[in-house]
Amino acid sequence: MSVSADDLIGAWALRDWRIEYEDGRVTRPFGADAAGQLLYSADGQVSATVSAQGRQPLEQSNVRDAADADKAAAFESYFHYAGRLHLEDDVVVHTVGLALNPGFLDTQQ
């Protein structure tokens, strides 16, 4: 069955976020109950968000005023990137243009 970009348009809820390594290891960075959403637009944009459950609110309403440890905990429990998508055969490829982690910029996922 062939997939087209039109088949992907919309919002998709995360079912499982795991990382599978070549040596057979599997990790779930935010646990088995991670929450997430993948958005695909008609003009080829993608936004991917994953969050750990039970994240604690910051003590300060403005993140810039929060303690460094609170900012680190927020960063460690949330993942996001956005960019463009294209298909290579039946594989969806995301080219990252914006990311919470600057190391993700210009990568393909």
XYZ file of all heavy atoms in Angstrom:
835
model
N 0.839 -1.177 0.000
C 0.000 0.000 0.000
C 0.884 1.239 0.000
O 1.752 1.389 0.850
C -0.892 -0.033 1.225
C -1.770 1.174 1.354
S -2.912 0.894 2.718
C -2.905 2.483 3.431
N 0.676 2.119 -0.918
C 1.481 3.325 -1.045
C 0.869 4.461 -0.224
O -0.342 4.613 -0.150
C 1.570 3.722 -2.519
O 2.413 4.821 -2.662
N 1.732 5.243 0.397
C 1.307 6.380 1.212
C 1.611 7.662 0.458
O 2.669 7.793 -0.147
C 2.063 6.377 2.567
C 1.735 7.603 3.380
C 1.763 5.111 3.339
N 0.682 8.615 0.501
C 0.927 9.928 -0.083
C 0.920 10.965 1.025
O 0.410 10.721 2.127
C -0.150 10.270 -1.123
O -1.361 10.629 -0.487
N 1.462 12.138 0.746
C 1.479 13.211 1.744
C 0.053 13.578 2.152
O -0.196 13.915 3.310
C 2.225 14.419 1.202
N -0.892 13.499 1.226
C -2.285 13.814 1.553
C -2.856 12.852 2.594
O -3.727 13.230 3.379
C -3.155 13.781 0.294
C -2.887 14.948 -0.639
O -2.317 15.964 -0.180
O -3.241 14.843 -1.825
N -2.378 11.610 2.614
C -2.855 10.629 3.597
C -2.438 10.997 5.018
O -3.019 10.500 5.980
C -2.301 9.232 3.288
C -2.800 8.676 1.968
O -3.940 8.989 1.575
O -2.034 7.929 1.338
N -1.435 11.841 5.152
C -0.868 12.162 6.462
C -1.456 13.410 7.099
O -1.319 13.610 8.303
C 0.645 12.341 6.336
C 1.416 11.147 5.788
C 2.864 11.540 5.561
C 1.304 9.961 6.709
N -2.113 14.256 6.324
C -2.587 15.554 6.813
C -3.502 15.380 8.028
O -4.414 14.562 8.023
C -3.322 16.321 5.696
C -2.347 16.656 4.564
C -3.962 17.596 6.245
C -3.008 17.203 3.323
N -3.188 16.142 9.081
C -4.011 16.116 10.279
C -3.165 15.986 11.529
O -1.952 16.128 11.508
N -3.861 15.686 12.631
C -3.220 15.518 13.929
C -3.215 14.043 14.289
O -4.223 13.354 14.145
C -3.974 16.314 14.985
N -2.067 13.571 14.762
C -1.890 12.169 15.127
C -1.456 12.096 16.584
O -0.554 12.814 17.007
C -0.821 11.528 14.240
C -1.179 11.549 12.794
C -1.033 12.591 11.912
C -1.764 10.491 12.043
N -1.480 12.239 10.673
C -1.939 10.944 10.719
C -2.157 9.191 12.357
C -2.491 10.146 9.731
C -2.706 8.398 11.362
C -2.864 8.880 10.067
N -2.080 11.225 17.356
C -1.729 11.039 18.764
C -0.649 9.974 18.895
O -0.673 8.958 18.198
C -2.957 10.621 19.568
N 0.286 10.207 19.794
C 1.370 9.263 20.039
C 0.832 7.986 20.677
O 0.043 8.038 21.611
C 2.396 9.900 20.989
C 3.592 9.026 21.348
C 4.529 8.911 20.155
C 4.313 9.594 22.550
N 1.262 6.859 20.150
C 0.930 5.560 20.744
C 2.103 5.006 21.537
O 1.929 4.369 22.563
C 0.518 4.570 19.660
C -0.822 4.938 19.057
C -1.258 4.027 17.971
N -1.184 2.627 18.363
C -1.453 1.629 17.559
N -1.837 1.870 16.322
N -1.354 0.388 17.964
N 3.323 5.250 21.037
C 4.513 4.739 21.716
C 5.714 5.503 21.186
O 5.848 5.677 19.977
C 4.673 3.237 21.422
C 5.827 2.589 22.177
O 6.160 3.054 23.284
O 6.381 1.612 21.658
N 6.573 5.969 22.094
C 7.826 6.588 21.667
C 8.956 5.757 22.240
O 9.167 5.705 23.448
C 7.946 8.026 22.151
C 9.196 8.700 21.642
C 9.738 8.576 20.398
C 10.045 9.585 22.356
N 10.875 9.336 20.294
C 11.086 9.969 21.486
C 10.040 10.091 23.639
C 12.095 10.837 21.860
C 11.048 10.957 24.012
C 12.063 11.337 23.129
N 9.622 5.080 21.339
C 10.751 4.261 21.761
C 11.882 4.459 20.775
O 11.679 4.798 19.614
C 10.350 2.798 21.852
C 10.020 2.173 20.531
C 9.692 0.704 20.712
N 9.277 0.145 19.453
C 8.130 -0.449 19.253
N 7.267 -0.577 20.224
N 7.840 -0.935 18.089
N 13.068 4.209 21.270
C 14.261 4.275 20.434
C 14.830 2.869 20.376
O 15.109 2.266 21.420
C 15.288 5.272 21.002
C 14.664 6.669 21.081
C 16.553 5.282 20.139
C 15.520 7.678 21.814
N 14.974 2.355 19.166
C 15.521 1.013 18.960
C 16.928 1.144 18.404
O 17.142 1.812 17.397
C 14.639 0.221 18.002
C 13.238 0.007 18.529
C 12.335 -0.740 17.561
O 12.822 -1.193 16.494
O 11.141 -0.865 17.872
N 17.883 0.516 19.079
C 19.281 0.594 18.687
C 19.691 -0.647 17.897
O 19.045 -1.691 17.998
C 20.172 0.747 19.935
C 19.912 2.036 20.680
C 18.954 2.096 21.694
C 20.610 3.196 20.359
C 18.709 3.281 22.368
C 20.359 4.376 21.038
C 19.412 4.415 22.032
O 19.164 5.590 22.706
N 20.731 -0.500 17.138
C 21.206 -1.617 16.309
C 21.583 -2.839 17.129
O 21.494 -3.963 16.650
C 22.384 -1.168 15.437
C 21.970 -0.219 14.336
C 23.128 0.185 13.440
O 24.197 -0.474 13.509
O 22.962 1.148 12.682
N 22.011 -2.640 18.377
C 22.399 -3.781 19.214
C 21.200 -4.460 19.887
O 21.359 -5.356 20.697
C 23.431 -3.361 20.265
C 22.893 -2.361 21.283
O 21.682 -2.040 21.254
O 23.684 -1.890 22.115
N 19.979 -4.002 19.551
C 18.772 -4.621 20.083
C 18.173 -3.923 21.295
O 17.058 -4.227 21.702
N 18.928 -2.997 21.894
C 18.379 -2.260 23.041
C 17.184 -1.423 22.614
O 17.136 -0.912 21.500
C 19.419 -1.296 23.617
C 20.506 -1.909 24.408
C 21.474 -0.843 24.935
N 22.019 -0.054 23.825
C 22.046 1.275 23.785
N 21.585 1.991 24.782
N 22.559 1.911 22.745
N 16.234 -1.277 23.524
C 15.084 -0.402 23.319
C 14.955 0.482 24.553
O 14.993 -0.014 25.678
C 13.779 -1.213 23.126
C 12.579 -0.288 23.033
C 13.876 -2.094 21.889
N 14.845 1.789 24.336
C 14.618 2.709 25.451
C 13.341 3.500 25.191
O 12.939 3.685 24.039
C 15.788 3.687 25.657
O 15.927 4.509 24.493
C 17.091 2.944 25.928
N 12.723 3.924 26.256
C 11.563 4.813 26.202
C 11.923 6.016 27.087
O 11.698 5.981 28.293
C 10.318 4.094 26.685
C 9.823 3.086 25.677
C 8.539 2.402 26.142
N 7.940 1.644 25.059
C 8.328 0.423 24.681
N 9.338 -0.173 25.289
N 7.720 -0.184 23.684
N 12.479 7.076 26.484
C 13.018 8.193 27.266
C 12.026 8.824 28.244
O 12.435 9.286 29.303
C 13.446 9.198 26.200
C 13.723 8.363 25.000
C 12.732 7.245 25.050
N 10.744 8.848 27.914
C 9.748 9.448 28.799
C 8.817 8.400 29.387
O 7.730 8.711 29.861
C 8.932 10.508 28.071
C 9.731 11.714 27.645
C 9.278 12.510 26.623
C 10.925 12.058 28.248
C 9.990 13.633 26.215
C 11.649 13.166 27.848
C 11.174 13.950 26.828
N 9.224 7.142 29.367
C 8.424 6.071 29.935
C 7.384 5.533 28.960
O 7.185 6.068 27.866
N 6.714 4.473 29.380
C 5.719 3.805 28.525
C 4.457 4.627 28.350
O 3.670 4.356 27.446
C 5.371 2.446 29.118
N 4.263 5.650 29.195
C 3.038 6.439 29.114
C 3.261 7.845 28.563
O 2.468 8.755 28.819
C 2.367 6.511 30.484
C 3.237 7.204 31.537
O 4.448 7.413 31.292
O 2.697 7.530 32.612
N 4.316 8.052 27.793
C 4.578 9.367 27.214
C 3.380 9.820 26.378
O 2.660 9.005 25.796
C 5.833 9.320 26.335
N 3.174 11.137 26.328
C 2.106 11.723 25.523
C 2.740 12.500 24.380
O 3.845 13.035 24.523
C 1.254 12.654 26.379
N 2.061 12.558 23.254
C 2.623 13.312 22.145
C 1.641 13.545 21.028
O 0.558 12.959 20.996
N 2.049 14.412 20.126
C 1.221 14.745 18.980
C 2.120 15.042 17.783
O 3.173 15.663 17.916
C 0.361 15.969 19.293
C -0.631 16.304 18.209
C -1.500 17.472 18.602
O -0.986 18.572 18.813
N -2.791 17.248 18.710
N 1.671 14.592 16.634
C 2.341 14.843 15.368
C 1.345 15.549 14.473
O 0.219 15.070 14.303
C 2.768 13.505 14.759
C 3.679 13.489 13.552
C 4.996 14.168 13.849
C 3.917 12.055 13.110
N 1.721 16.712 13.945
C 0.839 17.485 13.082
C 1.440 17.573 11.684
O 2.620 17.924 11.539
C 0.648 18.906 13.624
C 0.036 19.039 15.004
C 0.064 20.499 15.458
C -1.389 18.516 15.003
N 0.638 17.260 10.684
C 1.040 17.412 9.291
C 0.073 18.370 8.616
O -1.144 18.195 8.712
C 0.987 16.077 8.550
C 2.041 15.075 8.952
C 1.691 13.844 9.475
C 3.387 15.357 8.782
C 2.655 12.911 9.823
C 4.365 14.435 9.127
C 3.987 13.216 9.647
O 4.945 12.301 9.993
N 0.608 19.372 7.922
C -0.235 20.334 7.219
C -0.250 20.044 5.725
O 0.625 19.350 5.200
C 0.254 21.764 7.472
O 1.484 21.977 6.805
N -1.230 20.610 5.042
C -1.388 20.397 3.604
C -0.218 20.976 2.810
O 0.049 20.529 1.694
C -2.707 20.999 3.130
N 0.478 21.959 3.373
C 1.599 22.565 2.644
C 2.958 21.955 3.007
O 4.004 22.521 2.730
C 1.609 24.078 2.823
C 1.872 24.519 4.254
O 1.825 23.672 5.167
O 2.137 25.715 4.456
N 2.944 20.763 3.654
C 4.181 20.034 3.883
C 4.912 20.347 5.169
O 6.088 20.012 5.314
N 4.252 20.974 6.125
C 4.866 21.274 7.413
C 4.604 20.140 8.391
O 3.588 19.457 8.311
C 4.293 22.576 7.989
C 4.515 23.790 7.112
C 5.964 24.187 7.028
O 6.691 24.187 8.020
N 6.416 24.521 5.841
N 5.517 19.969 9.339
C 5.369 18.971 10.396
C 5.732 19.609 11.734
O 6.598 20.479 11.796
C 6.252 17.730 10.138
C 7.727 18.095 10.083
C 6.016 16.654 11.182
N 5.028 19.178 12.784
C 5.357 19.557 14.150
C 5.235 18.306 14.999
O 4.209 17.627 14.966
C 4.402 20.643 14.656
O 4.694 20.983 16.000
N 6.294 17.982 15.729
C 6.320 16.779 16.555
C 6.597 17.163 18.006
O 7.558 17.883 18.288
C 7.407 15.830 16.060
N 5.743 16.693 18.916
C 5.861 17.005 20.332
C 5.698 15.732 21.151
O 4.786 14.952 20.898
C 4.768 18.012 20.748
O 4.886 19.182 19.963
C 4.896 18.373 22.212
N 6.592 15.527 22.119
C 6.483 14.401 23.044
C 6.758 14.938 24.443
O 7.664 15.747 24.648
C 7.486 13.272 22.711
C 7.267 12.091 23.637
C 7.374 12.843 21.259
N 5.966 14.448 25.400
C 6.083 14.919 26.773
C 5.967 13.754 27.739
O 5.175 12.836 27.520
C 4.960 15.927 27.053
O 4.972 16.343 28.396
N 6.736 13.822 28.812
C 6.564 12.865 29.896
C 5.282 13.205 30.639
O 4.856 14.367 30.680
C 7.761 12.942 30.852
N 4.656 12.208 31.220
C 3.478 12.441 32.062
C 3.932 12.955 33.418
O 5.058 12.717 33.841
C 2.698 11.132 32.237
C 2.100 10.598 30.965
C 0.890 11.397 30.494
O 0.411 12.309 31.149
N 0.412 11.053 29.311
N 3.065 13.674 34.109
C 3.339 14.106 35.474
C 4.378 15.202 35.605
O 4.997 15.328 36.661
N 4.568 15.998 34.551
C 5.528 17.099 34.652
C 5.069 18.096 35.704
O 3.893 18.424 35.794
C 5.660 17.805 33.299
C 6.197 16.892 32.222
C 6.160 17.569 30.860
N 7.242 18.534 30.769
C 7.122 19.725 30.208
N 5.983 20.119 29.700
N 8.158 20.532 30.157
N 6.007 18.589 36.489
C 5.689 19.535 37.553
C 5.710 20.961 37.002
O 6.603 21.317 36.226
C 6.700 19.414 38.697
C 6.682 18.056 39.369
C 5.322 17.738 39.952
O 4.756 18.525 40.703
N 4.782 16.583 39.590
N 4.750 21.777 37.404
C 4.769 23.177 36.958
C 5.964 23.912 37.560
O 6.447 23.559 38.646
C 3.453 23.749 37.476
C 2.991 22.821 38.534
C 3.613 21.479 38.263
N 6.415 24.924 36.853
C 7.500 25.760 37.379
C 6.967 26.603 38.531
O 5.793 26.982 38.547
C 8.034 26.681 36.278
C 8.630 25.987 35.050
C 8.966 27.011 33.988
C 9.849 25.179 35.430
N 7.828 26.903 39.493
C 7.400 27.751 40.609
C 7.157 29.182 40.149
O 6.373 29.906 40.751
C 8.426 27.694 41.733
C 8.436 26.347 42.434
C 9.278 26.364 43.696
O 9.481 27.449 44.282
O 9.725 25.278 44.085
N 7.836 29.585 39.093
C 7.669 30.935 38.535
C 6.816 30.829 37.270
O 7.007 29.922 36.469
C 9.024 31.544 38.182
C 9.991 31.637 39.330
C 9.511 32.609 40.388
O 8.906 33.621 40.074
N 9.761 32.283 41.636
N 5.907 31.772 37.065
C 5.070 31.720 35.863
C 5.878 32.035 34.601
O 5.575 31.543 33.526
C 3.881 32.677 35.983
O 4.337 34.008 36.167
N 6.932 32.825 34.728
C 7.795 33.149 33.597
C 9.012 32.228 33.646
O 9.787 32.257 34.605
C 8.232 34.616 33.664
C 9.058 35.038 32.475
O 9.691 34.218 31.795
N 9.067 36.326 32.204
N 9.184 31.415 32.613
C 10.281 30.444 32.587
C 11.640 31.114 32.752
O 12.563 30.530 33.316
C 10.216 29.578 31.316
C 10.552 30.389 30.074
C 11.133 28.376 31.430
N 11.785 32.347 32.297
C 13.073 33.038 32.411
C 13.447 33.343 33.867
O 14.601 33.549 34.188
C 13.055 34.309 31.570
C 13.112 33.997 30.079
C 12.776 35.205 29.212
N 12.675 34.833 27.825
C 11.612 34.262 27.265
N 10.551 33.979 27.992
N 11.595 33.957 25.991
N 12.425 33.382 34.745
C 12.671 33.642 36.163
C 12.798 32.359 36.982
O 13.072 32.413 38.178
C 11.520 34.476 36.749
C 11.425 35.864 36.120
O 12.475 36.387 35.671
O 10.309 36.400 36.054
N 12.601 31.210 36.361
C 12.633 29.932 37.080
C 14.068 29.566 37.453
O 15.033 29.985 36.805
C 12.020 28.832 36.219
N 14.177 28.754 38.489
C 15.490 28.254 38.915
C 16.072 27.357 37.826
O 15.327 26.692 37.086
C 15.342 27.469 40.217
N 17.380 27.337 37.724
C 18.049 26.525 36.705
C 17.649 25.052 36.783
O 17.451 24.403 35.767
C 19.567 26.658 36.805
C 20.062 28.014 36.335
O 19.291 28.744 35.653
O 21.231 28.351 36.634
N 17.508 24.526 37.991
C 17.121 23.114 38.146
C 15.715 22.864 37.602
O 15.455 21.822 36.999
C 17.206 22.707 39.615
N 14.808 23.830 37.802
C 13.446 23.686 37.278
C 13.442 23.754 35.749
O 12.727 23.008 35.092
C 12.529 24.767 37.847
C 12.251 24.582 39.323
O 12.471 23.458 39.846
O 11.815 25.553 39.966
N 14.252 24.639 35.193
C 14.353 24.723 33.726
C 14.925 23.430 33.159
O 14.448 22.928 32.143
C 15.248 25.899 33.310
C 14.633 27.248 33.525
C 15.554 28.300 32.924
C 15.778 29.425 33.854
N 16.642 30.474 33.310
N 15.935 22.881 33.823
C 16.540 21.633 33.356
C 15.527 20.494 33.401
O 15.433 19.692 32.454
C 17.768 21.284 34.190
N 14.733 20.422 34.456
C 13.718 19.364 34.567
C 12.669 19.515 33.467
O 12.223 18.518 32.885
C 13.071 19.401 35.945
N 12.267 20.747 33.165
C 11.290 20.978 32.097
C 11.869 20.556 30.746
O 11.196 19.913 29.938
C 10.874 22.453 32.082
N 13.116 20.914 30.496
C 13.784 20.543 29.245
C 13.907 19.022 29.127
O 13.676 18.452 28.065
C 15.169 21.196 29.197
C 15.955 20.898 27.951
C 15.863 21.722 26.844
C 16.798 19.800 27.891
C 16.592 21.444 25.687
C 17.530 19.516 26.744
C 17.421 20.343 25.644
N 14.266 18.360 30.213
C 14.493 16.904 30.212
C 13.222 16.100 29.982
O 13.286 14.933 29.628
C 15.113 16.473 31.544
C 16.497 16.996 31.774
C 17.586 16.053 31.297
O 17.314 14.858 31.126
O 18.703 16.531 31.099
N 12.051 16.713 30.201
C 10.793 15.968 30.122
C 9.930 16.368 28.937
O 8.750 16.019 28.868
C 10.004 16.153 31.423
O 9.680 17.524 31.610
N 10.515 17.095 27.983
C 9.734 17.593 26.835
C 10.607 17.595 25.600
O 11.794 17.927 25.662
C 9.243 19.015 27.135
C 8.239 19.537 26.143
C 6.898 19.194 26.238
C 8.627 20.385 25.123
C 5.969 19.678 25.345
C 7.707 20.883 24.215
C 6.378 20.529 24.335
O 5.457 21.005 23.431
N 10.013 17.244 24.472
C 10.748 17.141 23.216
C 9.886 17.741 22.120
O 8.684 17.452 22.039
C 11.014 15.660 22.937
C 11.673 15.362 21.628
C 13.025 15.532 21.462
C 10.917 14.900 20.571
C 13.634 15.241 20.252
C 11.517 14.604 19.351
C 12.875 14.777 19.203
N 10.464 18.593 21.300
C 9.700 19.173 20.193
C 10.620 19.540 19.043
O 11.760 19.977 19.255
C 8.962 20.438 20.625
C 8.262 21.093 19.466
N 8.812 22.120 18.764
C 7.089 20.808 18.863
C 7.989 22.460 17.773
N 6.950 21.670 17.813
N 10.096 19.361 17.849
C 10.726 19.935 16.665
C 9.658 20.196 15.619
O 8.546 19.672 15.680
C 11.860 19.058 16.108
C 11.431 17.751 15.480
C 10.935 17.695 14.178
C 11.566 16.561 16.178
C 10.563 16.488 13.610
C 11.201 15.355 15.619
C 10.698 15.327 14.324
O 10.334 14.134 13.761
N 10.001 21.039 14.657
C 9.103 21.355 13.549
C 9.943 21.540 12.294
O 11.143 21.804 12.365
C 8.308 22.626 13.852
N 9.308 21.389 11.158
C 10.013 21.570 9.892
C 9.163 21.149 8.717
O 7.953 21.345 8.709
N 9.807 20.520 7.754
C 9.145 20.099 6.514
C 9.181 18.584 6.423
O 10.048 17.941 6.993
C 9.854 20.699 5.301
C 9.965 22.201 5.388
C 9.418 23.054 4.295
N 8.736 22.488 3.190
C 7.453 22.764 2.890
N 6.744 23.547 3.674
N 6.891 22.269 1.826
N 8.237 18.042 5.688
C 8.216 16.604 5.476
C 8.281 16.293 3.995
O 7.892 17.099 3.153
C 6.961 15.978 6.093
C 5.652 16.184 5.344
C 5.232 14.909 4.637
C 4.573 16.616 6.309
N 8.814 15.126 3.692
C 8.737 14.584 2.340
C 8.744 13.067 2.438
O 9.059 12.500 3.484
C 9.870 15.114 1.446
C 11.218 14.576 1.774
N 12.032 15.129 2.739
C 11.911 13.523 1.275
C 13.163 14.445 2.804
N 13.119 13.459 1.933
N 8.350 12.431 1.380
C 8.309 10.974 1.334
C 9.463 10.453 0.502
O 9.770 10.996 -0.560
C 6.990 10.493 0.732
C 5.732 10.809 1.533
C 4.495 10.410 0.750
C 5.754 10.102 2.863
N 10.097 9.413 0.998
C 11.091 8.649 0.238
C 10.535 7.240 0.159
O 10.585 6.505 1.144
C 12.459 8.686 0.927
C 13.098 10.059 0.924
C 14.454 10.092 1.619
O 14.981 9.020 2.006
O 14.985 11.200 1.790
N 9.971 6.906 -0.984
C 9.186 5.679 -1.138
C 8.033 5.756 -0.132
O 7.275 6.703 -0.163
C 10.053 4.425 -0.978
C 11.134 4.351 -2.059
O 10.804 4.634 -3.231
O 12.282 4.038 -1.728
N 7.918 4.813 0.779
C 6.852 4.853 1.782
C 7.360 5.278 3.160
O 6.722 5.020 4.172
C 6.176 3.478 1.900
C 5.241 3.198 0.734
O 4.845 4.174 0.055
O 4.918 2.033 0.505
N 8.501 5.955 3.202
C 9.068 6.422 4.464
C 8.868 7.938 4.551
O 9.216 8.669 3.632
C 10.573 6.073 4.561
C 11.192 6.659 5.821
C 10.766 4.567 4.502
N 8.309 8.382 5.677
C 8.126 9.807 5.911
C 9.410 10.358 6.525
O 9.906 9.825 7.518
C 6.949 10.066 6.880
C 6.770 11.563 7.105
C 5.674 9.436 6.351
N 9.955 11.409 5.927
C 11.194 12.024 6.402
C 10.886 13.459 6.816
O 10.270 14.207 6.064
C 12.274 12.014 5.300
C 13.551 12.684 5.801
C 12.549 10.584 4.836
N 11.318 13.808 8.027
C 11.147 15.165 8.539
C 12.494 15.871 8.470
O 13.478 15.356 9.000
C 10.690 15.154 9.992
C 9.413 14.433 10.225
N 9.029 14.041 11.486
C 8.427 14.043 9.389
C 7.851 13.446 11.413
N 7.470 13.424 10.149
N 12.540 17.051 7.861
C 13.731 17.886 7.869
C 13.503 18.974 8.905
O 12.603 19.799 8.763
C 14.001 18.488 6.478
O 14.167 17.411 5.545
C 15.257 19.347 6.490
N 14.297 18.965 9.963
C 14.064 19.810 11.129
C 14.560 21.233 10.876
O 15.721 21.445 10.521
C 14.758 19.210 12.371
C 14.554 20.108 13.590
C 14.230 17.802 12.639
N 13.672 22.208 11.090
C 14.007 23.618 10.946
C 13.979 24.376 12.259
O 14.634 25.400 12.412
N 13.189 23.879 13.224
C 13.086 24.457 14.567
C 13.123 23.308 15.557
O 12.549 22.249 15.292
C 11.755 25.200 14.750
C 11.466 26.370 13.829
C 10.006 26.774 13.950
C 12.365 27.533 14.171
N 13.780 23.509 16.703
C 13.830 22.425 17.678
C 14.156 22.957 19.065
O 14.925 23.910 19.204
C 14.890 21.397 17.282
N 13.563 22.316 20.068
C 13.921 22.628 21.449
C 15.406 22.354 21.664
O 16.112 23.132 22.293
C 13.075 21.791 22.411
C 13.375 21.947 23.896
C 13.084 23.374 24.361
C 12.571 20.952 24.706
N 15.882 21.247 21.114
C 17.293 20.886 21.193
C 17.990 21.423 19.943
O 17.757 20.934 18.842
C 17.440 19.369 21.260
C 18.879 18.904 21.264
O 19.799 19.683 21.037
N 19.070 17.633 21.508
N 18.863 22.428 20.068
C 19.519 22.998 18.891
C 20.314 21.980 18.076
O 20.534 22.175 16.894
C 20.456 24.062 19.478
C 19.970 24.330 20.851
C 19.270 23.095 21.313
N 20.714 20.885 18.689
C 21.450 19.847 17.980
C 20.620 19.132 16.937
O 21.168 18.422 16.092
N 19.305 19.286 16.973
C 18.418 18.655 15.993
C 18.271 19.461 14.713
O 17.778 18.953 13.712
C 17.028 18.444 16.617
C 16.746 17.000 16.952
C 17.542 16.299 17.827
C 15.659 16.360 16.392
C 17.272 14.982 18.137
C 15.377 15.041 16.688
C 16.198 14.351 17.555
N 18.658 20.752 14.744
C 18.472 21.597 13.572
C 19.174 21.011 12.342
O 20.287 20.503 12.443
C 19.006 22.999 13.843
C 18.225 23.796 14.887
C 18.928 25.119 15.174
C 16.797 24.014 14.450
N 18.474 21.071 11.226
C 18.997 20.614 9.939
C 19.225 19.105 9.868
O 19.924 18.638 8.976
C 20.279 21.367 9.551
C 20.052 22.860 9.433
O 18.977 23.256 8.925
O 20.916 23.635 9.848
N 18.658 18.335 10.804
C 18.761 16.872 10.723
C 17.512 16.322 10.039
O 16.518 17.026 9.869
C 18.883 16.220 12.121
O 17.683 16.440 12.867
C 20.095 16.755 12.877
N 17.604 15.064 9.641
C 16.443 14.374 9.091
C 16.036 13.280 10.057
O 16.872 12.506 10.529
C 16.764 13.807 7.705
C 16.941 14.918 6.690
C 16.937 14.416 5.270
O 17.301 13.279 4.997
N 16.508 15.268 4.367
N 14.763 13.246 10.344
C 14.215 12.292 11.293
C 13.189 11.423 10.585
O 12.534 11.845 9.674
C 13.552 13.018 12.471
C 14.480 13.950 13.211
C 15.672 13.227 13.819
O 15.532 12.189 14.445
N 16.855 13.781 13.619
